[in-house]
Amino acid sequence: MSAEQEEELEVLRSIYEGDPSFKEVSATKFTYKVTYSEDAEDISKSFVLEVEWPAEYPQVAAACSLNSFFNNHLSAKTKSSILADISQQADENIGEAMTFTLIEWAKSELSETIENNIVEAATSAHSEATESSSAAGQPVREGKKKEKKEQLTKNQKRRLAERFGAHADERPRGWDWVDVIRHLSKTGGAELT
């Protein structure tokens, strides 16, 4: 690790200390969760940017990626657009410490790209729904569909009962006894002579 890299690492640690969005994976690899929404649960307006320093960094641009599992909600088009914009920024900052610059630039400049991804995802989901229903010859219905409960066969029910402790030896004493009074009231009870 070069002196420039050590100095930038120290600066990044001091700037992002206590920031839950910043993670130092290793001394040369970092992740930052870029969020454009006030709602912490809304992942559609956020992505995780991974920045890794090659050995020649900062004379060579940092390697940026969006390969995190968290980014699965982004379309391939949106990912390539984000990476192209970040790569352009990285190329402009070759020879300088650029990790902080790339993260802050992504936080401030990429909100429009994320908004386009949300609109694109919504329109593609709607068009897929209309295509599938029109192919089936059914009218398009807006709103939620009722989910049917899965019906179990007798064999499946028996296996579930066996698996979760409904064995014959675990049943309480008298589980199959006939209620004597009810039985006698139905049969009339034969009188003894």
Side-chain angles (χ1 to χ4, degrees), residues 38 45 57 71 74 82 85 88 91 110 114 135 139 151 157 159 172 185 187:
E38 299 297 323
K45 293 185 180 181
Y57 178 82
N71 296 332
L74 297 175
I82 290 171
D85 292 343
Q88 181 181 2
D91 290 341
L110 291 175
I114 294 298
Q151 297 294 323
K157 290 177 185 177
R159 286 184 182 161
S185 67
T187 58

Side-chain angles (χ1 to χ4, degrees), residues 20 31 35 51-52 57 67 71 82 86 96 125 136 141-142 174 183:
T31 63
T35 305
V51 179
E52 188 167 6
Y57 178 82
N67 295 333
N71 296 332
I82 290 171
I86 290 175
E96 302 173 11
R141 283 194 233 165
E142 298 293 327
H183 175 72

Side-chain angles (χ1 to χ4, degrees), residues 29-95:
K29 186 173 183 178
F30 313 93
T31 63
Y32 192 88
K33 182 179 177 184
V34 180
T35 305
Y36 298 106
S37 175
E38 299 297 323
D39 183 12
E41 300 294 322
D42 186 12
I43 66 166
S44 65
K45 293 185 180 181
S46 59
F47 62 92
V48 174
L49 175 64
E50 298 172 354
V51 179
E52 188 167 6
W53 297 344
E56 303 83 28
Y57 178 82
Q59 281 66 34
V60 176
C64 298
S65 70
L66 298 173
N67 295 333
S68 172
F69 179 77
F70 183 83
N71 296 332
N72 283 346
H73 67 282
L74 297 175
S75 67
K77 180 180 174 183
T78 303
K79 284 182 182 180
S80 63
S81 174
I82 290 171
L83 287 175
D85 292 343
I86 290 175
S87 295
Q88 181 181 2
Q89 286 297 317
D91 290 341
E92 291 175 9
N93 290 304
I94 288 181

